[in-house]
Amino acid sequence: MCYTFICVDDAADEHDEDLTRLSAALERAASWIRRATPPGELNLLETSVLSALAADGPLRVTDLAARERVSQPGMTGIVARLAGAGLLAKRPDPEDRRAVLLEATEAGRAYLDARHAARARVFAARIATLPPDQRRALLATIDALTALTAERDDA
């Protein structure tokens, strides 16, 4: 059986069920991690924008809007909130005087580091409830999940 993203030669039904279970488990994990975020923190989209700037910035508003699949006016609002909080900075684009480039500030990078650490603590507490063999199996997926979720031009 072939999916739009993978071909499975044998045991197609078993793999189909496994992929469905994996997808559902990842969605539930993302949901409880998201709910662990204290009120008043950045939402998922704001965090994604700040993360993109920290990893790949500086970027233009139009590039961020396309990357996150939101309207340019919507992205302008997100940028204004992040800039107002001191998490990103604007500077002129040397290639186009009409445009600005956005980049994460040191405060923005520190915010991301603290957020990841806080969520890791929540995750660690949850993982600690698993039997040792399941903890090892879960931790063994880190490289594969990192590769799977890496930003790509085709995403």
Side-chain angles (χ1 to χ4, degrees):
M1 173 176 284
C2 286
Y3 304 90
T4 56
F5 57 91
I6 188 173
C7 285
V8 179
D9 293 330
D10 55 358
D13 291 337
E14 178 184 325
H15 289 290
D16 185 37
E17 183 179 324
D18 288 344
L19 291 172
T20 299
R21 290 177 56 222
L22 176 61
S23 176
L26 289 172
E27 287 175 7
R28 284 191 308 275
S31 179
W32 66 255
I33 291 171
R34 188 177 56 251
R35 287 191 311 267
T37 302
E41 287 198 21
L42 298 182
N43 65 36
L44 193 58
L45 182 56
E46 292 165 337
T47 302
S48 182
V49 167
L50 187 57
S51 294
L53 292 172
D56 302 324
L59 297 169
R60 292 181 177 188
V61 171
T62 53
D63 297 329
L64 281 169
R67 181 181 184 144
E68 298 295 335
R69 294 182 172 98
V70 298
S71 69
Q72 188 164 341
M75 184 56 69
T76 299
I78 291 166
V79 165
R81 286 190 296 278
L82 293 172
L87 301 176
L88 69 78
K90 300 176 184 180
R91 65 176 169 90
D93 184 338
E95 295 179 16
D96 183 349
R97 293 181 308 167
R98 298 166 297 166
V100 296
L101 292 175
L102 309 168
E103 55 193 350
T105 62
E106 286 305 313
R109 291 174 191 282
Y111 173 85
L112 290 172
D113 290 344
R115 180 182 176 108
H116 292 311
R119 286 184 167 198
R121 286 189 297 273
V122 169
F123 206 54
R126 240 2 227 267
I127 290 172
T129 66
L130 297 174
D133 61 322
Q134 288 183 346
R135 286 196 302 264
R136 284 190 297 277
L138 184 58
L139 294 174
T141 68
I142 293 170
D143 290 341
L145 287 172
T146 300
L148 181 68
T149 59
E151 287 291 331
R152 291 189 295 268
D153 291 336
D154 63 345

